[in-house]
Amino acid sequence: RVHRFKWDVKYEFKSPDCYKKLAITINGKTPGPAILAQQGDTVVVEVTNNLVTENLAVHWHGIRQIGSPWSDGTGSVTQCPVLPGDTFTYRFVVDRPGTYLYHAHYGMQREAGLYGSIQVSLPDGMAEPFAYDYDKSIILSDWYYQSTYEQAAGLSSNPIVWVGEPQSLLIQGKGKFDCSKLAPPSSDPSACNATNPECSAYVLTVVPGKTYRLRISSLTALSALSFQIEGHNMTIVEADGHYVEPVVVQNLFIYSGETYSVLIKIDQEPSRNYWITTNIVARNATATTPPGLAVLNYYPNHPKKVPPTDPPAGPIWNDVAPRLAQSQAIKARQGYIHTPPLESDRVIVFLNTQNNINGYVRWSLNNVSLALPQTPYLVALKENLHHSFDQRPLPDQLPDFASYDIYRVANNTNATSSNAIYKLKFNTTVDIILQNANTMDENRSETHPWHLHGHDFWVLGYGTGKFDINNDPKKYNLVNPIMKNTVPLHPYGWTALRFIADNPGAWLFHCHIEAHFYMGMGVVFEEGVESVGKLPSEIMGCGETKGFKRP
Ligand SMILES: O=C1O[C@H]([C@@H](O)CO)C(O)=C1O
């Protein structure tokens, strides 16, 4: 089956948290329309860029794009951006059931509101390994009042103007800013209006006695979140499109780019409603960003009936232990385990550091900060445009990794910006060790959600402190590791991944924090590009590919 969509993407004034601001909408909405399909279906999305003064690219997050690497929608990597007024057609197969996402992938556009969910159901006659009565999808995000332009200009200024914590948290596109906190005078009463129905809380109406599958995903620009439903435990059953051994939690920790399915039983006192809350963890936003609130409405109570209790407070922001414990607790589900290869062909240890490069704050991997080129890598590689990016190989490990002190303020004076890439031998098994470190501030190490395009990886382990190349691999879980496309790197910790380089194309691997990727926190992998089919001319037209585009 083929699902066809026509999307009109433009800027509109929206008030998702009562404050009026320009947002990027799809057919008038943010979040955009959910894509519902069945395993094996083809999705065709004709995207028209009506942003007028801004380029665009749309990424299908978690979809591997096997045989269609040019449809990955990553600006500078798999395509030239779609120009204002142009229409670009994405066409791809959703080859696995589960919960996925889509979002803008050009500059920092995602945080302006261009995002939505992709739900892929099983083929007819096949059943999930768990039972539920209803299926609902909730996307969490954070929301800033500054435009992406102001933020981008601040990040690339010297001295840096950091984006700071978001003004609001949104649950399925809805939040509530306290308009009285706005600096007076506001001459326009519509600038922030608490009674605007656009910012009435998201309500999830549920029927007592039933079981719900909630597909919870996060597309925050910055924030790591904890998500909770007052009085209800959540049983995690799916993560990034893979079934997991059920894990019961009260707080679901979720990082930008991750998707989870949780089951909840509607088994509490039925005469009232309950709070759904989300709050920031891993960064101190207690003074700046109020928790996001939504309502679990027990039918037939009125959806506007306010829960009689205070919203449950989330866990404290700076306690890493429960977050690490939850990461470690999630394992592949019995009966659905894809066993990883027991050995790898190549090990790349990525030291994550914040650096000062020529006076600018940047993020680097092994002292290299990614500077995106004009010409998309996929085209450059396939068409042998050798001058469009630095052809020198990048290091699999820093020479001084063994002696590097991850607890000291980073002082990597030899860090540079580069557009060089990692070339992987086709069909080989690659291990990636993400190693966290101190930032340029004393006693500070941040949480980074790492997302890989074009593949799922096995998560072989998480640890605290410095990765021990000789001993830590002996503790890898090679029995039932979960497969994911996005994984957290915890403060002062390491995360070990394994994947098979079996998808011909050019694939981005990056921190899913908008500002951090903008500041260079990513790498590009190439594998088997010679076996990619003829590239569509629609992805060309920029940089050195100008002559390749035929009308
Ligand atoms: O990349 C970042 O920069 C700031 C700060 O370290 C410098 O202002 C911050 O909190 C980040 O996550």
Side-chain angles (χ1 to χ4, degrees), residues 228-248:
Q228 37 277 320
I229 305 176
E230 185 185 14
H232 297 72
N233 285 336
M234 298 174 271
T235 306
I236 304 172
V237 290
E238 182 219 336
D240 292 5
H242 292 275
Y243 299 132
V244 302
E245 275 297 298
V247 178
V248 179

Side-chain angles (χ1 to χ4, degrees), residues 133-134 204-214 229 231-233 263-270 272 274 296-299:
D133 301 297
Y134 297 98
L204 177 65
T205 300
V206 292
V207 178
K210 300 293 186 191
T211 297
Y212 284 73
R213 174 185 189 169
L214 301 184
I229 305 176
H232 297 72
N233 285 336
L263 300 180
I264 60 162
K265 277 213 173 74
I266 307 307
D267 59 0
Q268 296 299 299
E269 212 284 298
R272 55 163 290 190
Y274 296 83
L296 185 73
N297 166 227
Y298 267 54
Y299 183 83

Side-chain angles (χ1 to χ4, degrees), residues 132 312 475 499:
Y132 53 92
K475 297 180 231 154
F499 71 97

